[in-house]
Amino acid sequence: MFIKALKHQNPALISATRRLWQQEKIAPDSWVIDVDQVLDNGRRLLTVAEQYGITLYLMTKQFGRNPWLAEKLLALGYQGIVAVDYKESRVMRRAGLHVAHQGHLVQIPSSLVETAVAHNTDIITVFSQEKAREISAAAVRLGRVQAVMLKVYAEGDTLYPGQESGFPLTELDEVVTQLRQLPGIRLAGLTHFPCLLWNDALAQTLPTQNLQTLVTARHSLAQRGIEIAQLNAPSAASCTSLPLLADFDVTHTEPGHALTGTIPANQYGDQPERIAMLLLTEISHSFKGRSYCYGGSYYRRGHARNALIFTPGSDLPTEALLSKMDDSSIDYHLALQGEYPPGSAVILCFRTQIFVTRSDVVLVTGIQHGEAAIVARYDSLGNIQEE
């Protein structure tokens, strides 16, 4: 999906990755991350967000819940990490990093609610009154007041499979009345997902009906005299979409893919954020006219289409097409059209969620200055790997 953008925006990443692979410092099925470019993207996002009065939380799941990189980004000014599930929060807290937003997309399990409150989580998203009562009880036990945010939805909104949740907009008044009777919690925000989506036909990032639902919910509360501090509108946050969110008076959002430049809007390499990661793998074998490279990285919404093949002894890559992956099978290998020698390096660049893969994560600095150096290695879930 992003091979063209990668070649245009960050050819040095391709060269550095190939050199490190030739030196046997990178194994197949490794996402190689250009740390300096990620940080540059992060600064760009913060500059635009400050211009439009939007607060940014840090989304880390796309680059593998990586605490090393998260710490560097937090130092730039991100207001804490958004942990979309409880396992991500565990990784970040073990690393001593601040989790600012928890509970969206996955609610906090009952046994871990008190831990989240005790760790000074800025705000917790709730989908149900039952979860709100658990947070209330935990906050009372700890002698605290916990800020919470409601996820809302209306009929016709976009809800991804496996993510169906939220309070119906039609029941918002009743929900808020019950919530405000609970001690130890404070209603501080509203959220939904996805609030922006890329429209391929129009080549634009556009508001979804979900965003309108969110605005309607805020207006409904305002009519009751309830002002909220946070209108959180995640998905597709980038330098070019932040002004659009500002038009809807959004206060918070949570960039993830924009940090690595792998947003749909950047497939032609024309966005302010630059591509900052690629996948390095290797040809294993050929079978019936196709080459098979080592898998583990497949993500069914990744739109991976093209690969660069560096055959042994050649400095010029050949571009090959990926064969369609069967979603019912494990990605032990990825198939490429054409036959290439085993041991050839394969470089891909597509939209991923590293935390749902088996890939390694290799963090590299100095790429743009010709001084590439590996500074850390992690697995796809944010656990450090030894040499």
Side-chain angles (χ1 to χ4, degrees):
M1 180 178 186
F2 295 109
I3 282 291
K4 181 176 181 179
L6 171 66
K7 291 164 64 177
H8 174 65
Q9 291 185 327
N10 201 342
L13 176 56
I14 299 174
S15 300
T17 298
R18 184 165 172 259
R19 285 196 299 272
L20 292 168
W21 170 77
Q22 289 172 327
Q23 296 165 7
E24 299 183 351
K25 294 181 179 180
I26 303 177
D29 185 28
S30 291
W31 283 98
V32 182
I33 296 182
D34 181 344
V35 170
D36 303 313
Q37 187 58 63
V38 169
L39 296 180
D40 186 62
N41 291 341
R43 293 185 194 96
R44 290 173 185 267
L45 286 158
L46 285 168
T47 298
V48 177
E50 183 178 6
Q51 180 182 350
Y52 287 92
I54 296 176
T55 297
L56 299 183
Y57 293 140
L58 176 63
M59 180 77 71
T60 70
K61 65 186 178 72
Q62 286 93 341
F63 56 77
R65 301 172 174 165
N66 192 282
W68 191 97
L69 190 54
E71 184 175 21
K72 302 295 182 186
L73 286 161
L74 288 174
L76 298 181
Y78 286 83
Q79 297 301 301
I81 294 162
V82 51
V84 298
D85 64 20
Y86 54 95
K87 293 181 180 179
E88 186 172 7
S89 67
R90 183 171 59 197
V91 170
M92 294 303 164
R93 287 185 176 127
R94 283 177 178 172
L97 304 180
H98 177 54
V99 176
H101 177 200
Q102 193 174 353
H104 182 202
L105 301 162
V106 179
Q107 294 282 265
I108 303 170
S110 300
S111 63
L112 300 178
V113 167
E114 189 160 327
T115 298
V117 177
H119 276 86
N120 298 315
T121 307
D122 292 357
I123 197 160
I124 297 174
T125 289
V126 294
F127 301 164
S128 68
Q129 291 287 4
E130 292 82 1
K131 192 58 62 179
R133 286 193 287 270
E134 289 178 2
I135 296 169
S136 168
V140 169
R141 286 194 297 271
L142 293 168
R144 302 187 179 193
V145 176
Q146 175 64 55
V148 298
M149 182 155 55
L150 304 182
K151 183 185 178 188
V152 295
Y153 77 95
E155 289 301 318
D157 285 358
T158 298
L159 299 175
Y160 290 140
Q163 298 178 20
E164 299 93 341
S165 60
F167 293 107
L169 184 61
T170 54
E171 299 176 13
L172 184 59
D173 284 351
E174 179 183 350
V175 167
V176 170
T177 296
Q178 294 180 29
L179 190 75
R180 298 181 82 188
Q181 294 173 359
L182 297 175
I185 61 175
R186 172 175 57 86
L187 176 58
L190 295 166
T191 191
H192 204 346
F193 180 86
C195 294
L196 300 176
L197 283 178
W198 172 255
N199 185 304
D200 207 39
L202 298 176
Q204 294 182 63
T205 300
L206 299 174
T208 64
Q209 180 177 306
N210 298 16
L211 182 53
Q212 188 56 56
T213 296
L214 196 57
V215 171
T216 300
R218 177 185 58 194
H219 181 67
S220 176
L221 293 184
Q223 288 183 318
R224 292 187 54 185
I226 302 171
E227 296 295 332
I228 58 165
Q230 182 169 160
L231 192 71
N232 187 305
S235 81
S238 69
C239 290
T240 54
S241 69
L242 287 172
L244 177 59
L245 291 177
D247 289 341
F248 289 84
D249 294 327
V250 167
T251 64
H252 293 66
T253 193
E254 304 166 349
H257 281 292
L259 296 165
T260 55
T262 53
I263 50 175
N266 198 32
Q267 57 191 292
Y268 301 110
D270 57 1
Q271 294 299 295
E273 301 92 340
R274 291 178 173 268
I275 300 292
M277 71 177 184
L278 58 74
L279 177 74
L280 181 283
T281 188
E282 181 181 311
I283 298 293
S284 164
H285 63 281
S286 296
F287 183 77
K288 293 186 176 181
R290 296 197 296 182
S291 295
Y292 289 78
C293 59
Y294 296 99
S297 59
Y298 177 70
Y299 175 58
R300 64 184 181 273
R301 294 179 61 211
H303 302 289
R305 300 187 185 98
N306 306 90
L308 299 178
I309 315 295
F310 288 89
T311 57
S314 175
D315 291 328
L316 297 176
T318 300
E319 192 160 321
L321 293 175
L322 270 73
S323 298
K324 185 176 181 181
M325 184 69 185
D326 183 346
D327 288 344
S328 67
S329 299
I330 297 172
D331 63 324
Y332 292 112
H333 300 93
L334 301 177
L336 298 165
Q337 297 179 23
E339 294 192 8
Y340 301 93
S344 298
V346 181
I347 286 177
L348 303 99
C349 191
F350 55 89
R351 187 174 175 85
T352 187
Q353 301 274 351
I354 292 178
F355 83 111
V356 300
T357 74
R358 306 187 303 279
S359 302
D360 293 337
V361 177
V362 181
L363 301 169
V364 183
T365 60
I367 288 174
Q368 304 305 320
H369 303 291
E371 301 172 352
I374 296 173
V375 292
R377 300 173 191 269
Y378 284 78
D379 67 14
S380 61
L381 298 177
N383 301 302
I384 194 166
Q385 292 184 324
E386 301 296 335
E387 290 285 347

